Amino acid sequence: MSRIRVEGLTKRFGKVTAVDRVSLDIGHGDFLVLLGPSGCGKSTLLRMIAGLIEPSEGRVLLDERDVTFAPPRERDMAMVFQSYALYPHLTVERNIGFPLRSRRRPRAEIREKVREVAELLDLAELLGRRPRALSGGQRQRVAVGRALVRDPGAFLMDEPLSNLDAKLRTATRGQLRALHQRLGATIVYVTHDQVEAMTMATRVALLNGGRLEQIGPPTEIYDEPASTFVAGFLGSPPMNLLPARVESHSGRVRVLAPGVEVPLWTAGDFPARDIVVGVRPEHLVGVALTSQAPMFRGQVTAVENLGSEEVAQCAVGDAVLMARGPRPIGLRPGEPVAFDTSANHVHLFDRASGHRLLWQPPDDTAARSTPPSPTSGIPVIPRSPVDVGAPTT
Ligand code: ATP
């Protein structure tokens, strides 16, 4: 399986910069998901890797070979699109075998290889059928089979599950994950569906307006979002983000906003600064209204039933706070409410840049490697998303 490196890749369409200086190192056996909202440049980036679009700047390297301007057929990558693009007049067997026939491989080899792939994808019983006699999920598997039969160096997939219904998507996600593990395949996979990213990826690259916002294992980008953009993109509902100030009085450091008072478990005196405080809906814990100093205090405005869970929407000062918990959540619209959370679930971001902030330990040399600690000295130093995600390594 191949290693793909992308260096400073940029694509401009007239005045639109679709992809802006993106660098990635996609290792052997990586399952990298390109995630982001509609129009953020995911498909353009994938198509540049595939050789379907020429970059305006930057390079694409395949196992150290510069393939930036090489045609797709010289890249040893197989692409699976959202539309399966199967040949309607050919059987499943001939659809899967097509890439080998067009390379004029011996007939016996084609038959053997197609059988092998069909077994792997649970299509052996369907080899004689035509695409119209298949379900959406089966067609999708045939499209994957056609990519697989070539033994490519890497698979490039552009929203391959988006035409499937919810149940089939879940089942096919599991199959793709199993396939990845079994083959150790290098996969670059485009989606705007965060559940697909979280469940399948070994690493997720989150794009925003053509730029790489953060790259890392799914749990890392969920637990340590590099910016308010990442925090507000992941999660359902996403992280609560409230404008606030961090202030110190007599060595006590607190995050303050109307209805918000979060102690920062640190000491020091410094000028107040504007920040955004973040806490995930599932990390809010209801506390008694008589509690001395709850971190968040407000009023419930609505409660939404999600089946096994409920989401309470609360007004906290001028902001809205979502709390998620098992049903019944025990909150009713119109009632006052108070929440706490734990220290490691409080996220701080610089108000102007949106970048994640970390507490700075007293020993500055340890600052880059030491997690926030209750005993640390001066709080809140800005870190850029590049520091957090290390996108180029
Ligand atoms: P989606 O999830 O909606 O498919 P995406 O993240 O894949 O979106 P791209 O299709 O890569 O986004 O598009 C990125 C930007 O580049 C968009 O603003 C889009 O309008 C623009 N764009 C893409 N292709 C072209 C083109 N051929 N000509 C002009 N602009 C384009």
Side-chain angles (χ1 to χ4, degrees), residues 17-258:
T17 303
V19 175
D20 194 0
R21 288 165 288 160
V22 169
S23 295
L24 296 167
D25 188 346
I26 308 160
H28 304 267
D30 229 349
F31 193 142
L32 182 83
V33 172
L34 302 177
L35 179 68
S38 183
C40 71
K42 308 179 291 291
S43 295
T44 305
L45 177 55
L46 191 79
R47 281 160 186 269
M48 286 193 284
I49 296 172
L52 300 171
I53 296 180
E54 276 195 5
S56 309
E57 279 166 36
R59 299 201 302 165
V60 179
L61 299 167
L62 188 65
D63 290 329
E64 306 305 323
R65 186 164 60 95
D66 189 335
V67 294
T68 313
F69 297 103
R73 65 176 181 282
E74 288 175 19
R75 297 192 184 207
D76 191 26
M77 298 174 187
M79 187 110 183
V80 181
F81 293 98
Q82 177 178 351
S83 58
Y84 316 123
L86 301 179
Y87 298 104
H89 58 290
L90 298 183
T91 60
V92 168
E93 181 166 17
R94 290 182 70 80
N95 262 289
I96 295 178
F98 190 84
L100 299 181
R101 276 203 309 284
S102 58
R103 283 168 193 203
R104 304 186 192 287
R105 304 304 306 161
R107 210 177 277 181
E109 182 194 318
I110 298 175
R111 201 175 311 123
E112 173 64 27
K113 195 80 199 163
V114 170
R115 287 265 157 214
E116 207 177 282
V117 166
E119 288 292 331
L120 191 67
L121 294 169
D122 207 11
L123 290 168
E125 306 297 313
L126 306 174
L127 286 174
R129 290 205 202 166
R130 293 204 158 58
R132 66 170 176 277
L134 300 175
S135 72
Q138 290 164 339
R139 283 180 211 169
Q140 198 274 341
R141 295 211 300 276
V142 176
V144 172
R146 196 174 49 185
L148 213 57
V149 81
R150 288 176 40 193
D151 271 334
F155 294 92
L156 308 180
M157 303 192 180
D158 195 348
E159 309 234 18
L161 307 188
S162 58
N163 286 340
L164 307 183
D165 66 34
K167 204 169 158 193
L168 257 179
R169 279 174 91 115
T170 309
T172 316
R173 265 196 333 246
Q175 285 168 342
L176 273 181
R177 203 171 42 220
L179 197 65
H180 170 251
Q181 279 163 5
R182 206 158 145 187
L183 301 177
T186 306
I187 300 179
V188 187
Y189 186 105
V190 162
T191 185
H192 59 266
D193 181 335
Q194 53 169 302
V195 177
E196 282 181 18
M198 297 304 280
T199 52
M200 294 195 293
T202 52
R203 287 190 305 154
V204 177
L206 193 60
L207 295 172
N208 176 20
R211 295 243 178 119
L212 183 61
E213 191 83 15
Q214 185 171 6
I215 180 167
T219 46
E220 186 181 298
I221 64 163
Y222 190 83
D223 293 343
E224 294 173 42
S227 64
T228 47
F229 175 84
V230 180
F233 187 81
L234 295 173
S236 177
M239 185 181 284
N240 294 296
L241 296 167
L242 287 73
R245 278 172 81 72
V246 61
E247 295 184 4
S248 70
H249 292 290
S250 316
R252 270 181 72 209
V253 185
R254 287 172 305 165
V255 172
L256 298 171

